[in-house]
Amino acid sequence: MTINIGVIGTGAIGREHIRRCSTVLQNARVVALNDINRENCQQIVNELTPEARIYDNAIDLINDPQVNAVLVTSWGPTHEAFVLACIEAGKAVFCEKPLAVTAQGCMNIVEAEIKAGRQLVQVGFMRPYDSGYRALKAVIDSGEIGEPLMLHCAHRNPEVGDSYTTDMAITDTLIHELDVLRWLLDDDYASVQVIFPRKTRKASSHLRDPQIVLLETTKGARIDVEIFVNCEYGYDIQCEVVGESGIARLPEPVSVQLRSAAKLSTTILTDWKKRFMDAYDVELQAFINNVISGEMTGPSAWDGYAAAVAADACVAAQTSGEIVPVTMPARPAFYR
Ligand code: NAI
Ligand code: NAD
Ligand code: ISE
């Protein structure tokens, strides 16, 4: 069986996902495209999907009976309306992070999905599909390092565009850690705090960079995450878990060790697309398989909501400088 996919948002990651649906993954083809910039769609048709139809309106794409499932890869503030329209149309939807830019927006999606009576949404949190994070989780779950007590994490980008603002360090960047760490620890957040170290001269005037986010989980683990999006040297994701009897670290991406010119070196990646290349393949193939089987697995609308509740608290903590409590309602039985 081959499912027909419609894609809303044909920018950087939209293009990547279309490429993988067309050339890497099984049982899917991209038949419909929409973007506020039609030129982006035309370029995809010319280069990747000659048979795909371009729609001027995203809602028309969602409602077209020939579209079986939808990828939402437009920018964050548009996600909520498109996901709600997919649920209304009874169609499976893979939505890139964040599911919505506020917790209330995510809750609107959770409520619509529960009302529809079946899970239709998968959120594009790809790290739980990354083999490194899965290996790290397997070590934690095995009990080999005892209970996790402290985590030291970093999310570093070489640079960001001028439109990137201080709150986006949370809603666009930290949101990955907010998702993957609760999955890794099988825990939720109890409180958050944000600290601003000395600012790098490489950041724009409207961006505080770097930032340190301190999280406390309901089981009492303490997490520090450094967000540094103008670090210049590379795209670098770090995660170290300190347990009662040992330390486990996220593996580095595979890189040849080089002895040359009196130096011993390995390469650090600079492009986020390459760092999680395999994880994106696995998460999207899982989505396609889910559409075919009719049963959603992986990051749910509830996971999107949980990350957004913590993100809202972090944004509030950026402004207040205070420790902000994170209050999560109980997980509805629908998502168990
Ligand atoms: P981008 O700016 O390159 O692409 C966004 C596209 O959406 C643009 O072509 C824009 O014209 C289009 N668009 C905006 N509003 C629209 C609307 N109302 N209707 C239709 N099209 C619209 O951005 P990028 O980097 O591709 O990011 C898109 C989304 O993917 C964001 O939510 C971002 O957070 C997420 N993302 C996730 C990554 C991951 O690792 N999971 C990596 C990169 C992005
Ligand atoms: P699954 O997708 O149901 O995930 C396991 C559990 O984790 C579920 O209870 C789910 O609710 C929870 N969960 C998943 N994502 C979460 C998130 N983002 N935040 C919070 N909780 C989350 O079942 P699975 O069998 O473990 O497989 C998941 C996918 O990973 C499958 O597509 C599988 O093929 C793939 N996989 C990849 C590797 C690899 O090495 N890359 C290894 C095994 C499985
Ligand atoms: C991008 O939006 C992503 O989601 C990447 O995974 C992330 O690491 C990068 O910092 C963001 O720009």
Side-chain angles (χ1 to χ4, degrees):
M1 179 183 178
T2 299
I3 59 158
N4 291 333
I5 293 187
V7 180
I8 303 171
T10 51
I13 200 154
R15 186 189 171 85
E16 270 295 291
H17 286 343
I18 292 165
R19 178 195 57 73
R20 57 173 50 86
C21 285
S22 309
T23 62
V24 182
L25 308 181
Q26 305 281 312
N27 302 330
R29 67 173 158 245
V30 174
V31 299
L33 303 171
N34 165 262
D35 196 296
I36 40 160
N37 179 358
R38 195 185 165 94
E39 192 45 42
N40 282 357
C41 296
Q42 193 55 56
Q43 216 176 334
I44 303 275
V45 168
N46 297 347
E47 294 168 17
L48 286 168
T49 57
E51 279 154 33
R53 187 176 147 200
I54 301 175
Y55 293 67
D56 289 326
N57 183 309
I59 305 300
D60 290 346
L61 175 151
I62 291 167
N63 289 324
D64 186 331
Q66 77 148 338
V67 171
N68 308 129
V70 178
L71 306 189
V72 175
T73 49
S74 47
W75 73 305
T78 63
H79 292 180
E80 182 186 346
F82 294 149
V83 172
L84 287 172
C86 290
I87 295 171
E88 175 90 34
K91 292 194 183 166
V93 52
F94 174 93
C95 178
E96 263 307 333
K97 40 65 57 173
L99 177 59
V101 286
T102 61
Q104 183 55 54
C106 294
M107 182 46 88
N108 295 341
I109 291 170
V110 162
E111 285 172 355
E113 209 181 27
I114 292 176
K115 195 161 156 229
R118 68 190 172 109
Q119 271 185 249
L120 291 165
V121 180
Q122 180 177 329
V123 183
F125 287 130
M126 73 295 183
R127 292 196 192 175
Y129 295 96
D130 172 64
S131 55
Y133 273 107
R134 295 192 79 93
L136 184 58
K137 183 165 174 60
V139 169
I140 296 169
D141 290 350
S142 74
E144 200 177 336
I145 62 165
E147 292 297 333
L149 308 175
M150 295 175 281
L151 278 74
H152 307 297
C153 309
H155 187 150
R156 304 191 187 107
N157 283 46
E159 60 183 359
V160 288
D162 201 43
S163 58
Y164 190 101
T165 48
T166 297
D167 58 324
M168 287 169 72
I170 307 297
T171 57
D172 209 52
T173 301
L174 179 79
I175 196 86
H176 282 294
E177 273 76 16
L178 292 176
D179 175 66
V180 78
L181 298 180
R182 62 185 281 279
W183 167 81
L184 193 65
L185 299 177
D186 192 18
D187 205 347
D188 269 308
Y189 305 110
S191 71
V192 303
Q193 186 181 10
V194 179
I195 290 168
F196 295 107
R198 181 180 181 185
K199 180 177 160 169
T200 170
R201 289 172 297 166
K202 307 293 176 185
S204 65
S205 58
H206 51 266
L207 173 61
R208 297 293 300 267
D209 184 44
Q211 304 182 24
I212 297 170
V213 181
L214 302 173
L215 305 159
E216 183 184 11
T217 73
T218 59
K219 292 177 191 166
R222 291 290 187 151
I223 304 170
D224 54 89
V225 187
E226 172 201 312
I227 303 294
F228 188 10
V229 294
N230 287 283
C231 79
E232 291 217 303
Y233 73 87
Y235 180 70
D236 195 6
I237 304 300
Q238 299 290 325
C239 181
E240 181 181 87
V241 182
V242 181
E244 293 166 295
S245 54
I247 294 176
R249 238 190 129 82
L250 181 70
E252 293 289 342
V254 174
S255 162
V256 169
Q257 202 185 61
L258 191 65
R259 285 173 160 80
S260 172
K263 283 199 177 75
L264 176 63
S265 63
T266 52
T267 301
I268 296 178
L269 294 172
T270 53
D271 184 351
W272 56 263
K273 290 188 213 76
K274 292 192 179 145
R275 173 64 180 84
F276 290 108
M277 181 79 91
D278 296 345
Y280 293 125
D281 289 348
V282 177
E283 71 163 356
L284 258 193
Q285 187 64 61
F287 174 69
I288 294 162
N289 298 348
N290 290 342
V291 175
I292 292 170
S293 72
E295 196 192 328
M296 281 292 157
T297 61
S300 64
W302 185 259
D303 295 319
Y305 170 70
V309 168
D312 276 5
C314 290
V315 172
Q318 282 180 324
T319 314
S320 70
E322 304 287 324
I323 297 172
V324 176
V326 179
T327 315
M328 273 287 289
R331 184 192 290 257
F334 183 81
Y335 290 105
R336 277 184 218 291

